[in-house]
Amino acid sequence: MSETGRIVERGIVRGDVRPDTDIRSVATMVAAPTFRLVAQQGLPDSDLVDSVVERVARAVGVQR
């Protein structure tokens, strides 16, 4: 399992992430923008990182 998957699993165990979260989907949501940038030989800026984190957090029901 990927590091992202392990992080999501820990969130589920703590109750921070909905238990019905598809871990593989979350890993894809995190990795896809990074791979796209690498293919284009770019680096993520803080706006992209913030956007991805916010969208993933909303998708998995992160409790704040």
Side-chain angles (χ1 to χ4, degrees), residues 15-53:
D16 296 330
V17 176
R18 287 192 335 250
D20 63 339
T21 298
D22 182 338
I23 295 171
R24 291 178 64 194
S25 292
V26 173
T28 299
M29 290 170 66
V30 171
T34 305
F35 288 137
R36 181 180 59 92
L37 284 170
V38 168
Q40 296 172 346
Q41 298 180 353
L43 295 173
D45 61 19
S46 62
D47 290 337
L48 175 66
V49 172
D50 290 345
S51 175
V52 169
V53 168

